[in-house]
Amino acid sequence: MRWLLLISRIGFLCNICYAFSVIARYINLKSLNQDVVATIVVLGVVSILLNIIVNIFWLYTLIRQQKVVPLFLGFLNFTFLILQLLNILLFQL
């Protein structure tokens, strides 16, 4: 289950890209390289699916009482998942 730790870390980095892509709606990004902006947006969109998968496996390990992923990382990913779902439902991505 060490792969879950790696996927959780990758999911957290994608969640940060998701936060940047949400913030990017409200600021002017014309001065930045458009390839970087496009990569951040794509990773942000991928983070929604990845975050759902990571949280399902993290909850499974919590139920089985295996400590594979640190609690703070699991809670941060779960918090991002809640915020992503609220963003999709309320603001329609």
Side-chain angles (χ1 to χ4, degrees), residues 40-78:
I40 288 174
V41 170
V42 168
L43 285 175
V45 172
V46 168
S47 75
I48 299 169
L49 178 63
L50 183 63
N51 207 5
I52 290 171
I53 294 169
V54 165
N55 279 295
I56 288 171
F57 283 114
W58 180 66
L59 289 174
Y60 174 74
T61 59
L62 279 181
I63 291 170
R64 295 205 47 180
Q65 297 178 348
Q66 298 172 341
K67 188 164 179 159
V68 178
V69 178
L71 285 177
F72 74 92
L73 182 59
F75 283 125
L76 283 174
N77 282 335
F78 186 71

Side-chain angles (χ1 to χ4, degrees), residues 4-64:
L4 183 59
L5 180 61
L6 176 68
I7 299 298
S8 294
R9 289 177 179 167
I10 292 170
F12 180 69
L13 293 174
C14 289
N15 287 332
I16 292 173
C17 289
Y18 180 81
F20 284 145
S21 66
V22 169
I23 292 170
R25 292 184 202 169
Y26 304 108
I27 59 175
N28 188 4
L29 297 177
K30 300 266 188 221
S31 62
L32 293 177
N33 186 354
Q34 293 303 309
D35 294 333
V36 173
V37 173
T39 303
I40 288 174
V41 170
V42 168
L43 285 175
V45 172
V46 168
S47 75
I48 299 169
L49 178 63
L50 183 63
N51 207 5
I52 290 171
I53 294 169
V54 165
N55 279 295
I56 288 171
F57 283 114
W58 180 66
L59 289 174
Y60 174 74
T61 59
L62 279 181
I63 291 170
R64 295 205 47 180

